[in-house]
Amino acid sequence: MKLLVELILQKVLQYLKDRANLAVVTTHYADLSSMKETDTRFDNATMEFSLETLQPTYRILWGCTGDSNALSIAGSIGFDRNIIDRAQKWVEKFQSEQQQERRGMLYRSLQEERNRLKAQVEKAASIHAEIMSVHNEIQGEAEDLDQREMELMAKETQQVQHELEHAKSQMETVIQKFEKRLRISGINSILLLENLNLQLPPL
């Protein structure tokens, strides 16, 4: 039952770490302090307790986990020594069992972390594959645009060249017609002068 409660509490803390900027949690479950070993977002702290005065000093000790001082306090206020000794033996036995449970919890926690990291790696690989697919698609479209632009420029160049050749041909035709008319006009002028010479009386 205790193990189940601790597992539930671990899930609660893991839920809080992703949704709260800062959370202060107090607990008597010492095994929860092991969460710091697998996630640096957790930290441990304890309130210092003086065994001499049996009073808290109100100093916070970071990175430490608190110890139970119940048996020391019980002895100082006159509890039966036999009861305290039996309780101490039970605590030592319980701590041994607790260590085994803690190792099991740590192993499960590491397995969960491994699975989580594996899922993140797979997700990152999937996103990378999608990005590369989009990149290749865009690159292919860009190359296709370049090819179409080159083909269009070549077509336009060919069309302009054809139009220039056609215009040149028309100009040559016009020039030939003009030169022909000039020749015809020249011949007519000569004939006209000859006729005039024939018609003029001799001096």
Side-chain angles (χ1 to χ4, degrees), residues 40-79:
T40 56
R41 285 179 289 180
F42 291 106
D43 201 355
N44 297 323
T46 184
M47 182 72 72
E48 186 180 43
F49 188 86
S50 174
L51 293 177
E52 296 177 357
T53 62
L54 300 179
Q55 295 289 331
T57 64
Y58 300 102
R59 287 175 51 195
I60 295 178
L61 304 178
W62 290 100
C64 301
T65 55
D67 294 324
S68 175
N69 298 298
L71 296 180
S72 299
I73 295 173
S76 67
I77 61 178
F79 264 65

Side-chain angles (χ1 to χ4, degrees), residues 38-192:
T38 57
D39 194 327
T40 56
R41 285 179 289 180
F42 291 106
D43 201 355
N44 297 323
T46 184
M47 182 72 72
E48 186 180 43
F49 188 86
S50 174
L51 293 177
E52 296 177 357
T53 62
L54 300 179
Q55 295 289 331
T57 64
Y58 300 102
R59 287 175 51 195
I60 295 178
L61 304 178
W62 290 100
C64 301
T65 55
D67 294 324
S68 175
N69 298 298
L71 296 180
S72 299
I73 295 173
S76 67
I77 61 178
F79 264 65
D80 189 294
R81 191 72 234 175
N82 291 328
I83 296 176
I84 295 175
D85 290 342
R86 289 176 61 187
Q88 183 65 40
K89 291 179 180 179
W90 182 85
V91 167
E92 292 173 356
K93 179 182 177 182
F94 176 75
Q95 286 178 341
S96 176
E97 295 175 353
Q98 195 176 39
Q99 288 293 334
Q100 294 180 357
E101 290 181 1
R102 183 177 298 175
R103 283 194 294 268
M105 290 176 61
L106 180 59
Y107 176 77
R108 285 189 293 273
S109 178
L110 290 174
Q111 284 292 104
E112 290 178 359
E113 185 69 12
R114 177 178 177 274
N115 293 335
R116 185 180 67 82
L117 292 175
K118 182 180 178 181
Q120 288 182 349
V121 169
E122 291 176 351
K123 183 178 180 181
S126 176
I127 293 174
H128 179 264
E130 291 180 4
I131 292 174
M132 291 304 299
S133 176
V134 173
H135 170 74
N136 293 334
E137 183 178 351
I138 293 174
Q139 187 175 12
E141 291 179 356
E143 292 175 354
D144 186 52
L145 285 174
D146 291 340
Q147 181 65 27
R148 282 189 285 178
E149 183 180 3
M150 292 175 61
E151 291 176 356
L152 182 60
M153 290 178 63
K155 185 177 180 180
E156 290 179 349
T157 301
Q158 185 178 5
Q159 184 176 356
V160 169
Q161 186 175 1
H162 177 72
E163 291 177 354
L164 287 173
E165 290 177 354
H166 180 67
K168 182 179 179 181
S169 176
Q170 287 183 332
M171 289 179 64
E172 289 177 352
T173 302
V174 170
I175 291 172
Q176 289 175 0
K177 288 181 179 180
F178 182 72
E179 290 177 346
K180 184 177 180 180
R181 288 181 180 178
L182 284 178
R183 286 196 299 271
I184 294 173
S185 298
I187 293 172
N188 291 335
S189 298
I190 293 172
L191 292 174
L192 179 61

